[in-house]
């Protein structure tokens, strides 16, 4: 592309109005430029599926990907004894395969364990936050005059206890 052509294209692009540009996405609601952010929501089911799939892959890798076992090492030694350079290459590949397979299985194990821990931690956090918010709502309700009649006990704290005669 010649320099003059590049300059001409830049000038044409600068002359375009922003309305002509269309990004490959859904337009914002209301046509505004500012985006809104939602809450990240992950269900326990989603976390469980990820953990289960990682655990399944961990087991399948052990059962199906261990092609470079003792037979590969024995074949490499046999080829070396017979004077084939291929023996050293096979030994190297078998060793690297085992190392990489171990790394991949460790990653699967880490993901599986992390999903279990994440699920438990966030469940505990959810219970804690819910408890805090409900106690704040109760406390807030205790200061709200609209909860009970003036001069009467606030019912937000539960039923009134009956006295010995069975009266309120």
């Amino acid at each position: 592309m010649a320099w003059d052509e590049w300059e001409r294209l830049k000038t044409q692009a600068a002359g375009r109005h922003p309305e002509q540009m269309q990004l490959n996405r859904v337009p914002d609601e209301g046509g505004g430029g500012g985006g809104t952010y939602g809450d990240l929501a992950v269900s326990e089911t989603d976390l469980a599926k990820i953990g289960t799939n990682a655990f399944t892959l961990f087991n399948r890798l052990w059962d199906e990907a261990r092609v470079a076992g003792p037979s590969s090492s024995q074949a490499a030694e046999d080829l070396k004894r017979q004077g084939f350079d291929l023996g050293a290459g096979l030994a190297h590949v078998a060793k690297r395969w085992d190392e990489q397979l171990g790394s991949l299985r460790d990653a699967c194990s880490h993901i599986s364990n992390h999903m279990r821990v994440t699920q438990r931690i966030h469940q505990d956090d959810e219970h804690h936050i819910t408890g805090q918010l409900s106690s704040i709502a109760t406390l807030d309700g205790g200061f709200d005059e609209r909860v009970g009649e003036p001069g009467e006990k606030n019912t937000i704290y539960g039923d009134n206890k009956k006295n010995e005669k069975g009266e309120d």
Side-chain angles (χ1 to χ4, degrees):
M1 177 181 299
W3 186 257
D4 293 335
E5 184 180 6
W6 173 249
E7 290 297 324
R8 183 178 54 79
L9 291 172
K10 282 182 11 182
T11 304
Q12 285 177 349
R16 290 187 187 147
H17 298 289
E19 296 83 35
Q20 293 175 336
M21 184 186 330
Q22 180 180 353
L23 298 177
N24 191 13
R25 65 181 180 90
V26 176
D28 295 333
E29 289 184 25
T36 58
Y37 298 99
D39 291 332
L40 175 63
V42 179
S43 69
E44 290 181 34
T45 306
D46 294 333
L47 295 175
K49 283 181 185 177
I50 293 169
T52 299
N53 287 335
F55 184 71
T56 301
L57 181 57
F58 174 84
N59 288 328
R60 286 190 64 198
L61 286 170
W62 181 255
D63 295 338
E64 299 172 25
R66 285 184 311 140
V67 294
S71 60
S72 297
S73 300
Q74 290 171 353
E77 289 302 317
D78 190 35
L79 287 170
K80 282 184 201 176
R81 269 188 310 229
Q82 295 177 34
F84 290 102
D85 290 337
L86 183 62
L90 181 58
H92 175 74
V93 169
K95 180 180 177 193
R96 292 291 294 155
W97 182 266
D98 283 341
E99 290 170 357
Q100 295 299 315
L101 181 60
S103 295
L104 186 56
R105 291 186 77 233
D106 287 346
C108 289
S109 176
H110 180 75
I111 291 168
S112 177
N113 292 336
H114 186 70
M115 290 300 104
R116 260 188 252 118
V117 169
T118 300
Q119 187 177 8
R120 185 172 28 87
I121 287 172
H122 289 295
Q123 186 177 22
D124 292 346
D125 289 346
E126 187 70 24
H127 290 301
H128 176 73
I129 291 168
T130 303
Q132 291 297 317
L133 290 177
S134 67
S135 65
I136 290 170
T138 301
L139 182 62
D140 190 40
F143 289 102
D144 191 352
E145 300 89 30
R146 295 170 292 172
V147 174
E149 293 296 319
E152 297 293 324
K153 290 187 178 184
N154 194 330
T155 58
I156 193 76
Y157 297 111
D159 294 337
N160 295 332
K161 293 184 180 180
K162 297 188 182 227
N163 61 19
E164 293 175 11
K165 296 179 183 177
E167 301 173 355
D168 285 340

